[in-house]
Amino acid sequence: MRSAVAAPRSTPTTRGFRSWRPAPARRTRARSGLRRRPIRGLPPAERLAARRRRTRPLVRALRPQLMRQANGLSRHADIAKAFAYGNQRWRAFNRFLYDGQLEPDNLIAERAIRGFTVGRRNWLFSGNFATAERSAVVLSIIETCKLCGVDAEAYMGRCHRAHPERLASLALG
């Protein structure tokens, strides 16, 4: 096993300023117990219990730390503005700690629209605005089907058989 050598917290630089360098890590993530089962995907009741146990203490410790850090900054600094933004919306930020159905981020929605953002460049070659609009409608139906676990091709076929005039109007503009 490799031993960790203690390095100074700061070292002098050529101009006389002191730069900060973090001390070497003494424990790996796996040994420190930080690798835990993910909360995402659990039923809401279990997710809420896990958040109360694991996440709430971290979030409670975060706010005083942010306030301490913000005290020494100019209010015009970008990081101070970011701290103020978070402080003003602190209650909304904490809602996921009290409701197991809420997610702390919008990762699911971002993954769902990834296909749109990749396809955006292709929409430039749609020919005209109406064609690009129809492409967006079709892609949104496909992505919604994916999110709901529905076979998009079968769904579009059923829609076409049930309402052929709507699909024709969509194709013609």
Side-chain angles (χ1 to χ4, degrees), residues 20-39:
W20 181 81
R21 184 173 64 178
R26 290 193 170 82
R27 294 175 9 171
T28 63
R29 256 187 128 181
R31 286 189 357 219
S32 67
L34 293 177
R35 288 188 71 96
R36 296 183 178 162
R37 195 172 83 148
I39 296 174

Side-chain angles (χ1 to χ4, degrees), residues 110-123:
E110 286 182 8
R111 283 186 178 163
I113 66 168
R114 185 173 292 152
F116 294 134
T117 58
V118 171
R120 249 192 323 221
R121 298 288 289 185
N122 297 333
W123 296 351

Side-chain angles (χ1 to χ4, degrees), residues 37 39 41-48 100:
R37 195 172 83 148
I39 296 174
L42 294 175
E46 290 179 37
R47 198 182 316 183
L48 184 60

Side-chain angles (χ1 to χ4, degrees), residues 141 153-167:
I141 292 171
E153 190 175 352
Y155 176 77
M156 297 286 273
R158 281 195 310 271
C159 288
H160 177 61
R161 285 188 296 278
H163 305 286
E165 69 286 348
R166 286 192 178 180
L167 193 59

Side-chain angles (χ1 to χ4, degrees), residues 18-168:
R18 299 180 73 77
S19 66
W20 181 81
R21 184 173 64 178
R26 290 193 170 82
R27 294 175 9 171
T28 63
R29 256 187 128 181
R31 286 189 357 219
S32 67
L34 293 177
R35 288 188 71 96
R36 296 183 178 162
R37 195 172 83 148
I39 296 174
R40 190 182 308 270
L42 294 175
E46 290 179 37
R47 198 182 316 183
L48 184 60
R51 287 179 184 163
R52 282 187 177 147
R53 189 176 59 253
R54 293 172 18 194
T55 309
R56 191 180 291 172
L58 297 173
V59 172
R60 283 189 176 163
L62 177 65
R63 190 172 199 186
Q65 180 67 22
L66 288 177
M67 298 303 282
R68 276 193 299 274
Q69 295 293 326
N71 282 340
L73 298 172
S74 164
R75 64 186 171 124
H76 301 292
D78 289 343
I79 191 73
K81 291 177 184 176
F83 285 166
Y85 177 86
N87 192 32
Q88 290 169 357
R89 289 153 184 84
W90 191 258
R91 192 169 176 177
F93 169 65
N94 282 309
R95 286 196 61 203
F96 79 99
L97 295 172
Y98 301 98
D99 187 350
Q101 294 179 339
L102 297 178
E103 292 288 339
D105 56 27
N106 63 347
L107 184 62
I108 295 169
E110 286 182 8
R111 283 186 178 163
I113 66 168
R114 185 173 292 152
F116 294 134
T117 58
V118 171
R120 249 192 323 221
R121 298 288 289 185
N122 297 333
W123 296 351
L124 293 173
F125 306 105
S126 295
N128 59 31
F129 182 74
T131 308
E133 210 170 40
R134 287 190 292 274
S135 298
V137 168
V138 170
L139 285 174
S140 68
I141 292 171
I142 291 170
E143 290 300 323
T144 304
C145 287
K146 284 181 189 177
L147 283 175
C148 296
V150 174
D151 179 22
E153 190 175 352
Y155 176 77
M156 297 286 273
R158 281 195 310 271
C159 288
H160 177 61
R161 285 188 296 278
H163 305 286
E165 69 286 348
R166 286 192 178 180
L167 193 59

